[in-house]
């Protein structure tokens, strides 16, 4: 945690996550009950490692504080990791409903000037290419 947050007791969400990942690294943080794969369980400590790696990866591709990252993922542990990583580097997350097709996504991306758009390889057994081609545009 940074000294400013401790001194002012104005912690950010990222400060709280960092705090609890140190205080109770073995406590369960996320349980993903996806319908398309086996249940996955992550502790605070495991999740903190994933968040740090993802934040570093985002920075390595040029994402920095103030940049908008559009995320079009279903509810999953990956969405949570990306959210924390984006916040950790000071970027802004723009969540997009996974059911939105290219027409809606184009409007959102245009309005937000997102520097990155994150999508799953597949969604409900449909590929991203199929979803784009069958968007009604």
């Amino acid at each position: 945690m940074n000294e400013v947050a401790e001194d002012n007791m104005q912690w950010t969400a990222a400060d709280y996550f960092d705090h609890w990942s140190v205080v109770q690294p073995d406590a369960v943080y996320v349980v993903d009950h996806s319908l398309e794969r086996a249940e996955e369980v992550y502790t605070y400590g495991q999740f903190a490692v994933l968040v740090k790696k993802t934040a570093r990866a985002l920075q390595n591709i040029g994402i920095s504080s103030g940049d908008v990252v559009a995320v079009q993922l279903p509810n999953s542990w990956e969405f949570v990791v990306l959210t924390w990583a984006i916040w950790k580097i000071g970027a802004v997350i723009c969540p997009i409903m996974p059911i939105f097709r290219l027409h809606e996504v184009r409007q959102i991306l245009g309005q937000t000037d997102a520097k990155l758009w994150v999508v799953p390889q597949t969604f409900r057994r449909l590929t991203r290419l199929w979803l784009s081609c069958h968007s009604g545009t």
Side-chain angles (χ1 to χ4, degrees):
M1 243 166 294
N2 64 46
E3 291 176 28
V4 174
E6 287 178 330
D7 291 342
N8 295 328
M9 295 307 286
Q10 295 181 3
W11 292 3
T12 66
D15 292 330
Y16 278 106
F17 178 78
D18 289 344
H19 170 78
W20 288 110
S21 65
V22 170
V23 170
Q24 55 183 28
D26 297 325
V28 172
Y29 178 67
V30 169
V31 178
D32 187 341
H33 297 282
S34 173
L35 298 175
E36 297 180 355
R37 60 184 178 204
E39 178 181 279
E40 297 183 60
V41 179
Y42 295 92
T43 66
Y44 275 92
Q46 291 169 321
F47 223 71
V49 170
L50 292 171
V51 169
K52 287 177 188 171
K53 286 181 178 181
T54 305
R56 198 172 314 120
L58 289 169
Q59 289 174 318
N60 288 342
I61 62 169
I63 303 300
S64 59
S65 183
D67 288 337
V68 176
V69 178
V71 178
Q72 190 177 19
L73 296 176
N75 292 336
S76 64
W77 68 266
E78 295 96 339
F79 180 87
V80 180
V81 165
L82 264 171
T83 300
W84 282 117
I86 290 165
W87 287 343
K88 190 167 193 62
I89 62 175
V92 179
I93 186 169
C94 173
I96 301 175
M97 295 287 295
I99 61 171
F100 284 2
R101 298 297 190 260
L102 196 55
H103 174 73
E104 293 92 355
V105 172
R106 278 186 185 149
Q107 288 183 317
I108 293 167
L109 297 177
Q111 290 291 318
T112 62
D113 289 327
K115 193 169 183 179
L116 176 67
W117 175 31
V118 180
V119 296
Q121 273 303 109
T122 60
F123 177 65
R124 294 185 179 164
R125 298 191 178 104
L126 301 173
T127 66
R128 180 56 47 195
L129 177 60
W130 188 93
L131 291 169
S132 296
C133 292
H134 294 85
S135 64
T137 57

